[in-house]
Amino acid sequence: MHEAMKCAANESRINPQVNPRMVAPNQSDPDVIVIPAGEPVPTWIQPNKTLVFGPGEHRLQPSLVPKGKWPVYTLPSQVYVYIPVDAILYFAMVGRADETISIGGYGHLSGEEMPRCHFPYDDQRSRSSTDPANTTCDNNSPQGLTLVNVAAASVTGITFIDFPNHHMILGTNGNAKANCLYSTISNVKVSYT
């Protein structure tokens, strides 16, 4: 578990942070897994490890994105995901319920390669009753980061770029307080191109 997510019995749950200074993980540490740009993103990582996305552009390998689906990476539980400033990830991220999620770094999650409508993969066009020639589509693209019913989360420093839907949907379950866990979000940015 990320150190910022632990609390003492009488500790305040308020954790103000202004532009935190993050130290990049030591890449020679045996508990640090570095993914170079262009390499496959692992689907499972042992808990209490750190996953670092190396400099450059990252996309999910085709085997993780079924035809007609959006590129969405399921975050590993109890793994610190670090995205350095010179890394850009062209996919969305989602956390599983009841898991502990920790993401940090000054890197970027980008939705620039995701169209608002998912043509031609699926036909979500609906015809207007007043103008049968008019075609529209539902914007069902993923959010940049979706955490729903997670046990606890720490999201620090990352920048979201141009997702066609919401950039973040964040929520924890009711067990966090009972387990003396709390969630923080700090210095997160949203950018539109």
Side-chain angles (χ1 to χ4, degrees), residues 58-180:
H58 296 265
R59 291 171 181 81
L60 292 181
Q61 57 267 35
S63 63
L64 292 182
V65 185
K67 184 173 180 168
K69 300 295 182 184
W70 299 100
V72 178
Y73 179 63
T74 301
L75 290 163
S77 180
Q78 297 180 10
V79 170
Y80 178 52
V81 176
Y82 183 79
I83 308 168
V85 70
D86 52 0
I88 185 164
L89 284 55
Y90 288 101
F91 49 86
M93 292 184 165
V94 64
R96 292 183 291 248
D98 300 318
E99 301 287 348
T100 301
I101 303 298
S102 183
I103 306 170
Y106 292 112
H108 309 84
L109 281 177
S110 177
E112 293 172 293
E113 295 182 350
M114 293 183 191
R116 185 166 300 277
C117 298
H118 208 224
F119 301 146
Y121 302 115
D122 51 357
D123 190 7
Q124 297 175 13
R125 290 171 281 189
S126 60
R127 299 206 180 271
S128 167
S129 59
T130 57
D131 183 4
N134 181 28
T135 58
T136 61
C137 69
D138 296 327
N139 180 6
N140 65 349
S141 61
Q143 295 81 24
L145 177 62
T146 303
L147 305 177
V148 179
N149 289 323
V150 297
S154 173
V155 182
T156 305
I158 59 177
T159 299
F160 294 89
I161 302 172
D162 230 6
F163 277 89
N165 204 333
H166 300 286
H167 287 81
M168 294 176 285
I169 300 292
L170 308 174
T172 59
N173 62 29
N175 298 329
K177 186 175 180 181
N179 294 329
C180 199

Side-chain angles (χ1 to χ4, degrees), residues 2 4 15-24 80 82 103-106 154-158 184-189:
H2 194 261
N15 186 14
Q17 297 179 358
V18 178
N19 198 20
R21 181 172 182 263
M22 286 180 278
V23 177
Y80 178 52
Y82 183 79
I103 306 170
Y106 292 112
S154 173
V155 182
T156 305
I158 59 177
T184 60
I185 181 170
S186 64
N187 202 39
V188 172
K189 296 144 308 272

Side-chain angles (χ1 to χ4, degrees), residues 41-65:
V41 179
T43 56
W44 184 85
I45 297 171
Q46 184 178 356
N48 302 314
K49 300 281 185 183
T50 298
L51 175 64
V52 175
F53 286 91
E57 297 182 350
H58 296 265
R59 291 171 181 81
L60 292 181
Q61 57 267 35
S63 63
L64 292 182
V65 185

